[in-house]
Amino acid sequence: MIDRSQFRTKSIGVRVCEADFNRLQEIADASGKPLGEWCRDVLLELARHPAGSPVEQAMLAELIGLRTIVGNLVYCFTNEGKVTHEQMAGFVERADATKIKRAVEFLKEIQKGRSHDTEPQAAGGRR
């Protein structure tokens, strides 16, 4: 028996300017889908992953982790002139412990249209 609750019975409409419509149509055509189907797929994908896809989160997390490590290394080299093995291990451990959380927060802020500071803090406030 067919589950009628799965039928598409609701619609969403949006108005766009002609230039935006043409750009969306180009993208839909390139994907080989009708515009309405492409728009539905994009909206549903965004609804499934409001803070970015798992791949986006992982990539951004690695970049944030690396940026944190580099910031801490620059701080050490400019202030202490050297980095010990223990310091380096601590930098990596701290970066790994926070990178996913920071990436998700950053992606959520982007979704909200806000900027977010991901700069590693210097001195006593190192991340």
Side-chain angles (χ1 to χ4, degrees):
M1 177 160 224
I2 297 174
D3 180 7
R4 294 191 183 273
S5 67
Q6 296 301 316
F7 288 148
R8 295 178 183 146
T9 60
K10 303 291 183 186
S11 68
I12 300 170
V14 297
R15 293 192 180 274
V16 295
C17 68
E18 187 170 348
D20 290 340
F21 180 87
N22 291 335
R23 180 66 185 130
L24 294 172
Q25 185 67 60
E26 288 175 13
I27 297 168
D29 289 345
S31 74
K33 295 180 180 179
L35 180 57
E37 183 179 330
W38 178 84
C39 288
R40 180 179 55 247
D41 291 348
V42 169
L43 287 171
L44 292 174
E45 183 64 22
L46 179 60
R48 278 191 288 277
H49 303 289
S53 72
V55 170
E56 292 168 330
Q57 290 178 13
M59 291 176 64
L60 184 57
E62 289 303 316
L63 286 173
I64 288 172
L66 286 171
R67 187 174 179 176
T68 301
I69 292 167
V70 169
N72 283 314
L73 287 173
V74 168
Y75 175 80
C76 274
F77 285 134
T78 58
N79 287 309
E80 301 165 18
K82 63 182 170 106
V83 177
T84 67
H85 175 71
E86 292 78 21
Q87 285 175 309
M88 186 66 206
F91 295 158
V92 172
E93 185 178 323
R94 281 192 301 277
D96 284 347
T98 62
K99 65 186 180 184
I100 286 287
K101 180 178 183 243
R102 292 171 61 203
V104 170
E105 289 171 355
F106 185 76
L107 288 166
K108 285 180 180 176
E109 291 298 314
I110 290 171
Q111 290 286 341
K112 293 177 185 175
R114 299 181 192 140
S115 63
H116 186 75
D117 181 20
T118 60
E119 291 288 327
Q121 295 175 351
R126 286 183 258 169
R127 292 183 180 181

